[in-house]
Amino acid sequence: MGLLPLFQMSSKRALITGITGQDGSYLGELLLNRGYEVHGIVRRVALEDPDHRLSRLGGILPRLKLHAASLESFASIHRVVHEVQPDECYHLAAQSFVSYSFDDEFSTLNINIDGTHFLLAALRALAPECRFYFAGSSEMFGLAEEAPQNERTRFHPRSSYGISKVAGFHLTQNYREAYGLHASSGILFNHESPRRGFEFVTRKITAGVARILAGKSSELRLGNLDAQRDWGHAREYVVAMWQMLQQSEPDDYVVATGECHSVREFADAAFSYAGLDYRRYVKPDPDLFRPAEVNLLRGDAGKARRVLGWTHRTGFEELVREMVDADCRAVGIERGKIP
Ligand code: GDD
């Protein structure tokens, strides 16, 4: 058998679902920088409205190969896997807003569980050597019986989103055990950045601060200020995803900072950084409370540290400041020149 041409040997092919989101965009950058050929699955509407829906992909867009497909259609997932023949597949796409999962349990469960199942089944049939990453979530711990939570902590999800992630986690584990797929799950705690969607509380707060500074708004309505989360920087969390797939054996890993803060502390830090007192602007809104809340999440990433050599770098205050600065710039304010 002759040697493969150099260009075929030099780069691995990665397939990312959810490439247009916060994590997908950081992961796409990381993989391109490491010489991968990066393919992404996107909804057809995203290709029709690139300025809006592909905005996070910015400078890397010309280097990506995007495929229109739907996680709700096995046929379309099967087609893309057949075309791409990936070496690594990162399954990040989901209905990922916990609050919305209470409004529409059916579509959350369908998209999140079927989408994972379709992808695993297609890989098993068409690319069984492909390494698979499943985006698990600390929401799987839900009403956790211990803190911090690690890979052995029992799951007690509190929303259909959390339930869908537990199902995806077990599907991933089952494809690993039953069919020998190199399939790993990251149990990622909350991870934020200036690319976070506006519906999530951190970005809602930092964008709210910027709007108030710019005189475009006078208050910020929030729900449960006492919920506590372990917030890290998304750019660092995608490194752990990649590291998981470089291990000889597939496994599951918690990825977290080990520190937790309340929503109130996040608001306080963001408003204070802008020279404002959050108590003047934040208005409690009972409609924003969830029917079942996850009160406290704090992760123990000891295994990821030991096995992957992964560690977080960005601290809480630094994360808050980076997000406030970015949102202020977006409304034309330099923080040093706050009126
Ligand atoms: N979104 C939102 N909006 N959350 C609020 C608000 C508000 O106005 N007010 C208080 N909160 C509280 C929520 O009740 C929750 O306890 C906390 O802020 C964080 O909410 P989100 O930022 O929406 O994130 P999440 O923790 O529910 O879920 C995120 O992290 C998971 C990992 O643990 C999402 O990214 C999930 O997809 C991810 O799996």
Side-chain angles (χ1 to χ4, degrees):
M1 196 170 67
L3 285 175
L4 287 169
L6 194 57
F7 70 88
Q8 281 189 18
M9 295 201 308
S10 61
S11 86
K12 283 194 207 164
R13 265 187 306 273
L15 177 62
I16 304 175
T17 73
I19 195 167
T20 59
Q22 167 188 258
D23 295 4
S25 66
Y26 282 122
L27 181 64
E29 288 167 12
L30 178 147
L31 295 174
L32 285 171
N33 286 339
R34 290 182 185 271
Y36 281 71
E37 181 180 304
V38 180
H39 296 252
I41 291 183
V42 297
R43 294 195 201 103
R44 184 159 298 284
V45 285
L47 295 178
E48 285 158 6
D49 181 15
D51 290 348
H52 176 227
R53 293 179 192 258
L54 303 181
S55 60
R56 290 190 182 91
L57 298 176
I60 63 168
L61 193 51
R63 298 165 66 197
L64 300 172
K65 297 176 193 313
L66 299 182
H67 306 259
S70 163
L71 282 179
E72 292 164 274
S73 151
F74 179 66
S76 73
I77 297 294
H78 188 275
R79 172 180 48 78
V80 175
V81 170
H82 180 69
E83 276 168 24
V84 176
Q85 291 293 320
D87 299 296
E88 294 176 11
C89 176
Y90 297 85
H91 179 36
L92 313 184
Q95 191 302 96
S96 65
F97 186 30
V98 175
S99 221
Y100 180 71
S101 76
F102 289 105
D103 296 334
D104 192 347
E105 297 167 4
F106 292 89
S107 70
T108 301
L109 292 169
N110 283 344
I111 292 170
N112 292 5
I113 299 178
D114 283 352
T116 306
H117 191 193
F118 292 165
L119 201 49
L120 282 164
L123 289 170
R124 178 187 168 209
L126 302 169
E129 299 303 318
C130 176
R131 295 183 173 197
F132 178 78
Y133 172 83
F134 173 66
S137 162
S138 53
E139 281 293 306
M140 302 190 305
F141 296 124
L143 193 63
E145 57 194 10
E146 59 182 1
Q149 295 91 38
N150 62 35
E151 294 80 6
R152 292 176 304 284
T153 304
R154 205 162 56 87
F155 296 145
H156 186 146
R158 298 268 282 170
S159 61
S160 59
Y161 170 80
I163 293 167
S164 75
K165 287 291 176 180
V166 171
F169 177 88
H170 287 306
L171 274 167
T172 303
Q173 200 172 46
N174 185 245
Y175 268 66
R176 177 162 85 213
E177 293 171 0
Y179 310 122
L181 246 69
H182 190 295
S184 299
S185 291
I187 307 175
L188 269 54
F189 283 61
N190 298 48
H191 42 289
E192 322 293 311
S193 76
R195 299 185 192 175
R196 191 55 149 147
F198 290 100
E199 65 273 39
F200 299 98
V201 76
T202 55
R203 187 76 195 281
K204 183 172 173 183
I205 292 170
T206 60
V209 166
R211 287 180 60 78
I212 288 168
L213 282 176
K216 294 180 175 176
S217 166
S218 56
E219 63 171 39
L220 178 63
R221 304 194 85 80
L222 292 177
N224 182 7
L225 294 176
D226 296 318
Q228 298 184 59
R229 290 291 183 275
D230 178 332
W231 280 297
H233 199 300
R235 198 193 309 108
E236 295 165 7
Y237 283 42
V238 303
V239 176
M241 298 176 187
W242 176 77
Q243 287 174 323
M244 285 176 217
L245 298 205
Q246 310 317 305
Q247 305 305 305
S248 54
E249 296 301 322
D251 207 343
D252 308 316
Y253 299 88
V254 160
V255 179
T257 70
E259 226 185 84
C260 75
H261 295 270
S262 66
V263 172
R264 184 188 311 282
E265 286 170 319
F266 194 103
D268 189 12
F271 278 85
S272 302
Y273 180 57
L276 304 173
D277 182 345
Y278 83 95
R279 290 169 298 190
R280 275 192 58 195
Y281 301 96
V282 170
K283 305 284 180 239
D285 184 342
D287 288 344
L288 295 172
F289 278 65
R290 297 174 180 178
E293 176 64 283
V294 171
N295 290 316
L296 191 156
L297 291 174
R298 181 159 72 89
D300 168 5
K303 180 176 170 186
R305 252 194 320 278
R306 278 192 311 279
V307 180
L308 307 177
W310 181 87
T311 182
H312 84 283
R313 292 182 197 288
T314 307
F316 176 72
E317 292 285 340
E318 197 183 339
L319 174 66
V320 173
R321 289 197 294 266
E322 184 185 331
M323 293 178 69
V324 172
D325 280 339
D327 279 320
C328 284
R329 276 196 303 276
V331 294
I333 297 174
E334 284 299 326
R335 202 190 66 87
K337 302 187 187 123
I338 289 169

